[in-house]
Amino acid sequence: MPRVVSLFLPGWPIDRLRRALGAEVPPPDSRLVLVGREGTRRVVTAVSRPAEQAGLRVGMPLTKAHALLPDILTLPADPAADATALERLSLWALQHYAPIVAPDPPDGLVIDTTGADHLHGGEALMLSGLVNRLGASGITARAAVADTWGAAFAAARFLADPVRVIPAGRAVESVSPLPIRGLRIPPDIVAGLHVLGFSTIGDLLAVPRAPLVRRFGPILGRRLDQIDGVVREPVDPLRDPERIVARKGFGEPIGAPDTIARYTTALVHDLCQALEKRGLGARRLDLIFHRVDNSLQAIRVGTARPVRDEKRLARLLCDRIETIEPGFGIEVMELSATLAEPLVLQQAATSLIEAAPADIAGLVDVIANRIGASRLYRIAPVESDVPERSFQRVAPLAPDAGATWQGQWPRPSRLLARPEPIEVMALLPDHPPASFTWRGVRRLVKRADGPERVFGEWWKRDGERAAVRDYFQVEDAVGERFWLFRSGDEVQAARGLGRWFLHGIFA
């Protein structure tokens, strides 16, 4: 089942302008509008949120906007720059999220994520990560995923807050209550439907199609059919002119897995030769299948390091062939290096003088492409006395930075995601617990060591100037060992209330 993401950028021209102008742009709370021309008239083409809240709308004549708000700030619209920036954003999404991406002007992208969402931890995590990364760059975004482009488009604009996942097979049910503006039809058709009393997509789906098509043209019927997938709407993917591509067309469509694997290996050979001429190695490969029914299927694989090993790359791609549905046949296969980096060749070790170092890069690539690269990582030390800040996730094959944890005090093998409150019997002020109750089980403490005092990092936040914890290592009657701490020192009230927590478990 295909899955399509619609990314909606509600403030795209304004956000794009702010990023382009930097410090010279008016502040976010200003009533800013962009002005373009429709024939001889000057009209508003985009409005900031404060201007929209004050009553200004896109399409409004500039004279009327000035009459409503004499103090508005105006800047000339630049549709060409907006389109160019939207294309650059599409290339970014192509490199990071899925092999099939296209601009959806004037304020969106469409992404076919079929078979690629698992690389990002699932659809919900993929959408939230996409929206959050854009938000960190100053671009407001909403996103939705559904079985069809039409359903995802409507959901992104009227359901997403800021993301929405439409379950498979429920596209029509989910978008029926939404306004007819979500159908991607011209404004004059929307106005005509409102005159007739239609307000939602469900209203249109419930009436005979022929009278509507006869009055408003075939586009209305086509959009309604595209929502539930009766009419296919393939995404025409954006093609980066800088990409290295190997392509194979077939006189007779193919569909057998063995045949697909054979031609995949041949395409990898051609691509690696092109990479070698440029001194590059592949970090991400996209294999796109053009089916005879004018739809696309795609496989995306990634590597932890730049790779130009034909056998290794072919194996990664062939492992994913089972996810492809050839349908009535595949007429074109296109393999591209979506992300390539310089590859520095190294002298291999010889068995005469030294043993070859273990190379787990191939294993890492296989696992990452099966479960998702975001789920595969290793833990690296961070210089911090606060336990939950003393580590970070890094890529499995990231170079060793040389940092290490301090060894004066042992640390538990399992650190809880959040310290859990416990009930404790202990003598004050510095004695370890005599017993504690955690998750409803009371445990008697037989041995204990501590306290180890940990202060807050006052240089990060003022609220941590007085923060303090006293950690204890304790062992209960059955030999299980735990890491407990008391917040505050029971002397100064500002340092805490003396509550106890369990923070870790020793192996």
Side-chain angles (χ1 to χ4, degrees):
M1 176 68 70
R3 297 292 282 174
V4 181
V5 170
S6 178
L7 181 69
F8 174 45
L9 310 172
W12 171 241
I14 301 289
D15 291 342
R16 195 276 305 171
L17 191 65
R18 292 188 187 282
R19 287 172 53 84
L21 296 180
E24 300 177 3
V25 75
D29 58 350
S30 61
R31 295 171 175 178
L32 173 65
V33 300
L34 302 184
V35 181
R37 286 192 175 273
E38 286 185 0
T40 59
R41 296 193 313 160
R42 300 182 69 195
V43 297
V44 174
T45 61
V47 296
S48 64
R49 183 173 294 274
E52 183 180 14
Q53 293 172 346
L56 301 189
R57 296 291 182 267
V58 174
M60 178 182 292
L62 182 59
T63 54
K64 183 178 179 180
H66 273 300
L68 292 175
L69 292 175
D71 60 340
I72 59 173
L73 300 175
T74 62
L75 288 173
D78 191 348
D82 294 338
T84 301
L86 194 63
E87 185 173 313
R88 288 201 302 268
L89 189 63
S90 301
L91 290 175
W92 171 82
L94 173 67
Q95 292 182 343
H96 292 87
Y97 285 95
I100 302 176
V101 181
D104 189 10
D107 53 10
L109 304 180
V110 58
I111 309 171
D112 189 334
T113 60
T114 308
D117 58 282
H118 73 284
L119 299 176
H120 307 280
E123 291 179 338
L125 287 178
M126 177 183 64
L127 293 186
S128 59
L130 174 60
V131 170
N132 291 338
R133 292 180 73 173
L134 290 174
S137 300
I139 299 175
T140 304
R142 300 202 297 265
V145 59
D147 295 337
T148 62
W149 182 353
F153 180 93
R157 282 147 181 83
F158 299 104
L159 282 180
D161 186 27
V163 301
R164 188 62 174 257
V165 177
I166 304 298
R170 298 181 60 183
V172 175
E173 174 188 347
S174 300
V175 303
S176 290
L178 303 183
I180 56 178
R181 288 185 292 121
L183 283 175
R184 295 177 293 160
I185 53 180
D188 58 332
I189 297 181
V190 173
L193 291 170
H194 283 159
V195 171
L196 295 177
F198 296 103
S199 59
T200 67
I201 296 175
D203 294 340
L204 295 174
L205 292 171
V207 300
R209 192 72 50 82
L212 294 176
V213 173
R214 187 162 52 248
R215 179 162 183 169
F216 297 104
I219 185 173
L220 180 58
R222 185 166 64 250
R223 292 305 190 202
L224 291 172
D225 289 337
Q226 287 171 345
I227 281 183
D228 58 6
V230 174
V231 173
R232 290 185 176 273
E233 189 177 14
V235 179
D236 185 17
L238 180 71
R239 289 172 172 81
D240 183 1
E242 302 293 330
R243 283 192 308 167
I244 302 174
V245 180
R247 185 181 177 93
K248 176 66 176 177
F250 306 102
E252 292 290 335
I254 65 172
D258 292 344
T259 305
I260 296 174
R262 184 170 68 253
Y263 283 110
T264 297
T265 303
L267 286 174
V268 169
H269 172 75
D270 295 341
L271 187 73
C272 287
Q273 286 188 331
L275 290 170
E276 185 176 5
K277 292 179 181 179
R278 301 193 189 185
L280 300 175
R283 284 292 311 278
R284 187 169 292 116
L285 293 180
D286 290 334
L287 180 56
I288 299 178
F289 302 87
H290 299 254
R291 306 198 312 183
V292 295
D293 61 356
N294 200 31
S295 64
L296 302 177
Q297 298 269 314
I299 294 174
R300 164 163 286 191
V301 298
T303 60
R305 295 172 179 167
V307 175
R308 208 163 57 223
D309 185 337
E310 294 182 17
K311 292 184 179 179
R312 181 167 158 190
L313 294 177
R315 177 189 175 191
L316 293 176
L317 290 168
C318 291
D319 283 348
R320 303 284 300 163
I321 286 177
E322 61 185 14
T323 65
I324 296 300
E325 299 177 3
F328 293 106
I330 297 168
E331 56 184 0
V332 175
M333 291 174 58
E334 182 179 278
L335 178 64
S336 62
T338 307
L339 185 61
E341 297 178 357
L343 177 62
V344 179
L345 299 180
Q346 297 180 351
Q347 177 68 43
T350 66
S351 58
L352 294 176
I353 57 175
E354 57 185 346
D359 185 7
I360 63 171
L363 176 62
V364 169
D365 293 342
V366 171
I367 297 175
N369 285 286
R370 288 181 180 175
I371 69 172
S374 61
R375 299 183 181 181
L376 192 63
Y377 57 87
R378 64 182 179 87
I379 300 299
V382 175
E383 293 186 0
S384 177
D385 290 331
V386 181
E388 58 265 34
R389 299 175 187 167
S390 63
F391 62 91
Q392 63 179 344
R393 295 182 179 183
V394 298
L397 300 181
D400 190 356
T404 184
W405 286 287
Q406 297 181 1
Q408 294 89 340
W409 294 87
R411 292 290 184 257
S413 56
R414 178 190 173 194
L415 195 69
L416 301 183
R418 295 178 181 272
E420 298 186 10
I422 56 177
E423 297 178 3
V424 169
M425 294 288 294
L427 294 175
L428 297 179
D430 295 327
H431 288 266
S435 67
F436 67 94
T437 302
W438 176 50
R439 296 182 178 178
V441 178
R442 184 170 180 266
R443 302 173 185 269
L444 296 178
V445 176
K446 293 299 184 180
R447 298 177 180 83
D449 189 14
E452 173 194 357
R453 179 154 292 184
V454 173
F455 290 94
E457 296 177 333
W458 53 267
W459 57 91
K460 291 186 176 180
R461 292 186 299 178
D462 291 340
E464 297 191 24
R465 290 181 179 274
V468 62
R469 297 175 183 175
D470 285 337
Y471 279 89
F472 293 87
Q473 304 170 50
V474 301
E475 182 179 320
D476 67 4
V478 296
E480 295 182 349
R481 295 189 300 149
F482 304 89
W483 206 37
L484 318 178
F485 75 83
R486 181 184 63 229
S487 64
D489 57 6
E490 295 291 344
V491 177
Q492 301 182 34
R495 292 189 171 182
L497 302 177
R499 298 178 59 194
W500 286 84
F501 297 86
L502 189 146
H503 201 177
I505 302 173
F506 290 90

